[in-house]
Amino acid sequence: MTSKHAVSLVTLGCGRNEVDSDELAARLDNAGWRLAEDGADADVVVVNTCGFIDSARKDSVDSLLSAADSGAKVVAVGCMAERYGNELADALPEAAAVLSFDDYPDIGDRLDDVLAGRTRPAHAPRDRRTLLPITPVQRSASTAEVPGHGPASGPRPLRHRLGGGPAAPLKLASGCDRRCTFCAIPSFRGAFVSRRPDEIVTEAEWLAGHGVRELLLVSENTTSYGKDLGDLRALEKLLPRLAAVADRVRVSYLQPAELRPGLIEAIAGTPGVVRYFDLSFQHASGTLLRRMRRFGDRERFLELLDSIRALAPDAGVRSNFIVGFPGETDAEFGEVTAFVEEARLDAIGVFGYSDEEGTEAIGLPGKIDPALVTERATELSLLADEMCTQRAEERIGATIEVLVGSGGKGWAAHQAPDIDGSVTVTGGPVSAGDLVKAQVTGATGVNLEAALL
């Protein structure tokens, strides 16, 4: 533990990966490794990969190859490494090791092996859902490794913050029990496991002590939080505790079919919790959603939005949509375009369907011609940009609360940092970490300008 070899961590993908990297950094620090900001100064570069879709996997491979060019030894961890294991190791000899989530508790020893030239065979890919009991309430007794669920050590969680700024992700849970036909995430992330409320609050207090003013609550499915703890209202009870720790709390990754009235009320009415709803609609045609093994339709989704806005008219709402799913008819595509026109969403992501290994959808009939998928994705993206611009313009004249990041730009309550647009604050000096009131004076796309009050 006195060698102080240097390691650099590169994080790709979502906020959940960011939390996992912070856990790895803490474990490496405890094991005597020195954390280097620049890969050029590192003996080993650990790349926390993303395995979500093909473009993310390509970015992960590019990052691994780029790190190898630095002359450091390169280690792959994260979702892509977990998903492909020895297949990735065989295809990418530039990586000195491909590690599983099961290696995280011993990450210091694994990197010692890498530096010493000791070869460790990569794991064979497997479905991590099989590692946990089928019954959710029995999962807490399992010894399966779940990244980002490291125990607190006294008042300090197993976390070393790698990123800066006034906002940070805080993991509520890992894994997913849903069986969406297009998604492979549960197979390599595992079944759904909630973190204990006291552990989450301890980590929130630690983050607040390190300058974090906004907590971004992340998971694969936040609306399931607490089901394995025997309390489906656990999130409603947790939110006030977190709001007492940080200035702002933001809830993300909500499943529309599981969004209970009580949770809507808690997000809309708890002081300190921003009125923001990250709703995973994916489509608006009831028949197509059934083929996705999801629930709802255009009418039900509009009713859900009405119920949210009845409590919080200024609420921010974002969602993602998949077009070109197998068998998508012109009428079904028309349902999703009509919904986007009616829903008044603040931020929208559009994805063209592509086959994912290990998913049920890969074997469904009625595959759409790739050129038509691209055409529909382009059409919906243009419509989404137009509708989100209109929604932003509706906010001109409104008073908003802005958390300032770098360069005088920040984000309002209806905007998640880095993904939903930004606010440029004028009319006075502001510094990173300031939480200020401002009046919206203009909009360019989803980005706002606002004068300091």
Side-chain angles (χ1 to χ4, degrees):
M1 293 186 58
T2 59
S3 64
K4 287 293 182 181
H5 291 302
V7 58
S8 175
L9 287 99
V10 176
T11 305
L12 304 171
C14 62
R16 301 183 294 276
N17 256 17
E18 186 177 331
V19 176
D20 295 350
S21 286
D22 285 0
E23 177 196 328
L24 289 171
R27 291 185 183 278
L28 288 165
D29 185 42
N30 292 341
W33 282 76
R34 177 173 60 85
L35 300 172
E37 292 185 8
D38 189 342
D41 298 328
D43 300 295
V44 178
V45 177
V46 176
V47 180
N48 191 353
T49 60
C50 180
F52 180 40
I53 56 177
D54 186 62
S55 59
R57 293 192 292 272
K58 183 180 183 304
D59 287 344
S60 294
V61 170
D62 288 346
S63 295
L64 287 162
L65 293 174
S66 176
D69 288 341
S70 70
K73 293 183 179 293
V74 179
V75 173
V77 299
C79 292
M80 184 179 178
E82 178 63 44
R83 184 176 183 183
Y84 294 103
N86 51 17
E87 298 174 18
L88 178 62
D90 292 342
L92 199 72
E94 292 84 355
V98 174
L99 302 181
S100 166
F101 295 148
D102 296 325
D103 291 305
Y104 283 22
D106 303 309
I107 187 67
D109 292 340
R110 298 292 178 267
L111 297 200
D112 286 342
D113 289 342
V114 166
L115 269 189
R118 293 187 290 268
T119 302
R120 183 178 181 85
H123 61 282
R126 57 179 171 171
D127 190 335
R128 292 193 71 86
R129 289 172 293 192
T130 63
L131 304 182
L132 292 164
I134 294 175
T135 305
V137 294
Q138 295 178 346
R139 292 173 188 164
S140 60
S142 172
T143 58
E145 182 61 26
V146 181
H149 288 232
S153 176
R156 186 182 187 281
L158 189 59
R159 185 165 183 175
H160 178 108
R161 195 169 180 222
L162 294 170
L170 176 59
K171 187 177 285 191
L172 291 177
S174 287
C176 185
D177 288 340
R178 299 186 70 89
R179 294 295 182 266
C180 302
T181 56
F182 57 83
C183 183
I185 289 174
S187 66
F188 55 85
R189 272 291 182 180
F192 186 87
V193 181
S194 301
R195 297 178 69 194
R196 296 283 177 179
D198 288 348
E199 180 185 329
I200 294 170
V201 173
T202 296
E203 187 165 324
E205 292 170 343
W206 182 85
L207 288 168
H210 285 72
V212 172
R213 303 196 69 176
E214 178 172 313
L215 302 171
L216 288 76
L217 307 185
V218 298
S219 72
E220 273 77 24
N221 179 5
T222 299
T223 34
S224 283
Y225 179 74
K227 73 174 187 179
D228 52 328
L229 304 177
D231 186 1
L232 281 174
R233 294 182 59 84
L235 184 54
E236 287 96 306
K237 298 172 184 176
L238 178 61
L239 288 176
R241 296 180 64 188
L242 295 175
V245 173
D247 295 282
R248 295 209 306 203
V249 177
R250 185 180 303 275
V251 183
S252 59
Y253 303 104
L254 299 168
Q255 288 288 345
E258 298 179 22
L259 188 52
R260 306 172 298 278
L263 183 53
I264 295 174
E265 292 168 5
I267 295 173
T270 303
V273 177
V274 296
R275 296 173 168 185
Y276 177 83
F277 293 81
D278 177 10
L279 298 169
S280 178
F281 289 126
Q282 301 299 354
H283 211 277
S285 162
T287 53
L288 189 141
L289 284 165
R290 301 305 173 273
R291 296 201 296 278
M292 289 181 168
R293 201 168 290 146
R294 296 176 67 85
F295 303 96
D297 54 35
R298 173 181 161 198
E299 182 179 352
R300 288 186 178 88
F301 290 164
L302 290 172
E303 289 173 353
L304 174 60
L305 292 174
D306 286 343
S307 68
I308 290 170
R309 288 169 176 149
L311 296 173
D314 61 341
V317 184
R318 86 163 337 268
S319 193
N320 296 313
F321 298 92
I322 298 172
V323 298
F325 190 79
E328 184 184 57
T329 64
D330 289 342
E332 288 170 335
F333 178 67
E335 284 287 299
V336 73
T337 57
F339 176 74
V340 168
E341 288 180 333
E342 297 167 313
R344 295 173 56 238
L345 303 177
D346 292 272
I348 297 171
V350 176
F351 299 88
Y353 171 82
S354 60
D355 285 335
E356 275 292 308
E357 296 175 58
T359 64
E360 184 179 339
I362 201 170
L364 291 178
K367 293 292 173 61
I368 307 298
D369 183 271
L372 182 56
V373 174
T374 300
E375 180 183 321
R376 287 179 174 175
T378 300
E379 180 181 341
L380 189 61
S381 295
L382 291 172
L383 176 62
D385 289 345
E386 179 184 346
M387 303 314 298
C388 291
T389 296
Q390 290 182 19
R391 180 64 174 147
E393 291 171 348
E394 291 175 9
R395 296 186 183 275
I396 294 176
T399 298
I400 58 174
E401 184 182 66
V402 182
L403 182 54
V404 181
S406 59
K409 292 183 182 292
W411 58 93
H414 72 276
Q415 299 169 314
D418 300 324
I419 60 172
D420 292 344
S422 63
V423 181
T424 300
V425 179
T426 62
V430 291
S431 301
D434 287 350
L435 191 61
V436 300
K437 295 284 188 182
Q439 185 175 43
V440 181
T441 57
T444 304
V446 296
N447 300 315
L448 303 178
E449 294 180 2
L452 194 65
L453 295 178

mmCIF file of all heavy atoms in Angstrom, residues 239-240 262-275 277 311-312:
data_model
loop_
_atom_site.group_PDB
_atom_site.id
_atom_site.type_symbol
_atom_site.label_atom_id
_atom_site.label_comp_id
_atom_site.label_asym_id
_atom_site.label_seq_id
_atom_site.Cartn_x
_atom_site.Cartn_y
_atom_site.Cartn_z
ATOM 1 N N LEU A 239 -37.417 11.198 -0.071
ATOM 2 C CA LEU A 239 -37.211 12.514 -0.698
ATOM 3 C C LEU A 239 -37.098 13.653 0.314
ATOM 4 O O LEU A 239 -36.184 14.492 0.190
ATOM 5 C CB LEU A 239 -38.316 12.793 -1.715
ATOM 6 C CG LEU A 239 -38.257 11.966 -3.007
ATOM 7 C CD1 LEU A 239 -39.455 12.261 -3.896
ATOM 8 C CD2 LEU A 239 -36.965 12.228 -3.766
ATOM 9 N N PRO A 240 -37.976 13.764 1.326
ATOM 10 C CA PRO A 240 -37.808 14.859 2.294
ATOM 11 C C PRO A 240 -36.491 14.770 3.057
ATOM 12 O O PRO A 240 -35.892 15.811 3.391
ATOM 13 C CB PRO A 240 -39.008 14.683 3.232
ATOM 14 C CG PRO A 240 -40.015 13.906 2.450
ATOM 15 C CD PRO A 240 -39.204 12.997 1.580
ATOM 16 N N GLY A 262 -49.065 9.010 -5.465
ATOM 17 C CA GLY A 262 -48.332 9.486 -4.297
ATOM 18 C C GLY A 262 -46.936 9.958 -4.630
ATOM 19 O O GLY A 262 -46.438 10.928 -4.028
ATOM 20 N N LEU A 263 -46.277 9.303 -5.595
ATOM 21 C CA LEU A 263 -44.938 9.727 -5.987
ATOM 22 C C LEU A 263 -45.002 11.024 -6.788
ATOM 23 O O LEU A 263 -44.147 11.900 -6.637
ATOM 24 C CB LEU A 263 -44.247 8.625 -6.792
ATOM 25 C CG LEU A 263 -42.804 8.899 -7.224
ATOM 26 C CD1 LEU A 263 -41.927 9.292 -6.041
ATOM 27 C CD2 LEU A 263 -42.224 7.681 -7.945
ATOM 28 N N ILE A 264 -46.012 11.147 -7.645
ATOM 29 C CA ILE A 264 -46.202 12.420 -8.362
ATOM 30 C C ILE A 264 -46.358 13.554 -7.366
ATOM 31 O O ILE A 264 -45.743 14.626 -7.493
ATOM 32 C CB ILE A 264 -47.424 12.341 -9.296
ATOM 33 C CG1 ILE A 264 -47.197 11.315 -10.402
ATOM 34 C CG2 ILE A 264 -47.720 13.715 -9.904
ATOM 35 C CD1 ILE A 264 -48.411 11.083 -11.275
ATOM 36 N N GLU A 265 -47.182 13.339 -6.359
ATOM 37 C CA GLU A 265 -47.409 14.375 -5.353
ATOM 38 C C GLU A 265 -46.130 14.699 -4.595
ATOM 39 O O GLU A 265 -45.859 15.874 -4.285
ATOM 40 C CB GLU A 265 -48.493 13.906 -4.378
ATOM 41 C CG GLU A 265 -49.877 13.797 -5.014
ATOM 42 C CD GLU A 265 -50.876 13.066 -4.127
ATOM 43 O OE1 GLU A 265 -50.512 12.725 -2.974
ATOM 44 O OE2 GLU A 265 -52.010 12.833 -4.580
ATOM 45 N N ALA A 266 -45.320 13.671 -4.296
ATOM 46 C CA ALA A 266 -44.082 13.902 -3.562
ATOM 47 C C ALA A 266 -43.093 14.720 -4.389
ATOM 48 O O ALA A 266 -42.442 15.636 -3.863
ATOM 49 C CB ALA A 266 -43.464 12.569 -3.154
ATOM 50 N N ILE A 267 -42.963 14.403 -5.673
ATOM 51 C CA ILE A 267 -42.043 15.163 -6.525
ATOM 52 C C ILE A 267 -42.553 16.573 -6.737
ATOM 53 O O ILE A 267 -41.783 17.538 -6.731
ATOM 54 C CB ILE A 267 -41.847 14.439 -7.871
ATOM 55 C CG1 ILE A 267 -41.159 13.082 -7.654
ATOM 56 C CG2 ILE A 267 -41.027 15.300 -8.841
ATOM 57 C CD1 ILE A 267 -41.074 12.220 -8.900
ATOM 58 N N ALA A 268 -43.847 16.725 -6.918
ATOM 59 C CA ALA A 268 -44.421 18.043 -7.196
ATOM 60 C C ALA A 268 -44.517 18.915 -5.957
ATOM 61 O O ALA A 268 -44.520 20.153 -6.068
ATOM 62 C CB ALA A 268 -45.810 17.881 -7.812
ATOM 63 N N GLY A 269 -44.606 18.300 -4.775
ATOM 64 C CA GLY A 269 -44.931 19.085 -3.583
ATOM 65 C C GLY A 269 -43.914 19.097 -2.470
ATOM 66 O O GLY A 269 -44.119 19.793 -1.473
ATOM 67 N N THR A 270 -42.794 18.366 -2.602
ATOM 68 C CA THR A 270 -41.798 18.357 -1.536
ATOM 69 C C THR A 270 -40.825 19.508 -1.733
ATOM 70 O O THR A 270 -40.133 19.570 -2.760
ATOM 71 C CB THR A 270 -41.014 17.030 -1.520
ATOM 72 O OG1 THR A 270 -41.924 15.943 -1.373
ATOM 73 C CG2 THR A 270 -40.012 17.015 -0.368
ATOM 74 N N PRO A 271 -40.745 20.458 -0.784
ATOM 75 C CA PRO A 271 -39.785 21.559 -0.924
ATOM 76 C C PRO A 271 -38.362 21.031 -1.087
ATOM 77 O O PRO A 271 -37.931 20.135 -0.367
ATOM 78 C CB PRO A 271 -39.940 22.322 0.407
ATOM 79 C CG PRO A 271 -41.313 21.985 0.887
ATOM 80 C CD PRO A 271 -41.542 20.561 0.454
ATOM 81 N N GLY A 272 -37.663 21.580 -2.069
ATOM 82 C CA GLY A 272 -36.305 21.148 -2.347
ATOM 83 C C GLY A 272 -36.205 20.095 -3.422
ATOM 84 O O GLY A 272 -35.130 19.885 -3.976
ATOM 85 N N VAL A 273 -37.304 19.413 -3.719
ATOM 86 C CA VAL A 273 -37.331 18.457 -4.825
ATOM 87 C C VAL A 273 -37.812 19.202 -6.062
ATOM 88 O O VAL A 273 -38.892 19.799 -6.049
ATOM 89 C CB VAL A 273 -38.253 17.261 -4.522
ATOM 90 C CG1 VAL A 273 -38.322 16.318 -5.718
ATOM 91 C CG2 VAL A 273 -37.763 16.518 -3.286
ATOM 92 N N VAL A 274 -37.020 19.196 -7.126
ATOM 93 C CA VAL A 274 -37.396 19.971 -8.298
ATOM 94 C C VAL A 274 -38.558 19.293 -9.025
ATOM 95 O O VAL A 274 -38.676 18.062 -9.037
ATOM 96 C CB VAL A 274 -36.211 20.182 -9.265
ATOM 97 C CG1 VAL A 274 -35.130 21.003 -8.620
ATOM 98 C CG2 VAL A 274 -35.644 18.862 -9.748
ATOM 99 N N ARG A 275 -39.395 20.087 -9.624
ATOM 100 C CA ARG A 275 -40.560 19.585 -10.351
ATOM 101 C C ARG A 275 -40.121 19.157 -11.746
ATOM 102 O O ARG A 275 -40.254 19.889 -12.722
ATOM 103 C CB ARG A 275 -41.636 20.666 -10.397
ATOM 104 C CG ARG A 275 -42.169 21.026 -9.009
ATOM 105 C CD ARG A 275 -43.115 22.208 -9.057
ATOM 106 N NE ARG A 275 -43.829 22.369 -7.788
ATOM 107 C CZ ARG A 275 -44.788 23.258 -7.580
ATOM 108 N NH1 ARG A 275 -45.158 24.077 -8.572
ATOM 109 N NH2 ARG A 275 -45.382 23.340 -6.406
ATOM 110 N N PHE A 277 -39.827 15.584 -14.307
ATOM 111 C CA PHE A 277 -40.281 14.217 -14.514
ATOM 112 C C PHE A 277 -39.599 13.643 -15.751
ATOM 113 O O PHE A 277 -39.885 14.053 -16.875
ATOM 114 C CB PHE A 277 -41.806 14.181 -14.668
ATOM 115 C CG PHE A 277 -42.537 14.545 -13.398
ATOM 116 C CD1 PHE A 277 -42.721 15.874 -13.036
ATOM 117 C CD2 PHE A 277 -43.009 13.558 -12.547
ATOM 118 C CE1 PHE A 277 -43.372 16.217 -11.862
ATOM 119 C CE2 PHE A 277 -43.672 13.882 -11.372
ATOM 120 C CZ PHE A 277 -43.854 15.215 -11.029
ATOM 121 N N LEU A 311 -50.790 19.565 -10.662
ATOM 122 C CA LEU A 311 -50.087 19.836 -9.413
ATOM 123 C C LEU A 311 -48.924 20.794 -9.605
ATOM 124 O O LEU A 311 -48.590 21.567 -8.698
ATOM 125 C CB LEU A 311 -49.570 18.524 -8.819
ATOM 126 C CG LEU A 311 -50.610 17.496 -8.387
ATOM 127 C CD1 LEU A 311 -49.945 16.192 -7.978
ATOM 128 C CD2 LEU A 311 -51.454 18.039 -7.225
ATOM 129 N N ALA A 312 -48.290 20.742 -10.761
ATOM 130 C CA ALA A 312 -47.090 21.544 -11.018
ATOM 131 C C ALA A 312 -47.108 22.020 -12.460
ATOM 132 O O ALA A 312 -46.504 21.396 -13.339
ATOM 133 C CB ALA A 312 -45.836 20.716 -10.740
#
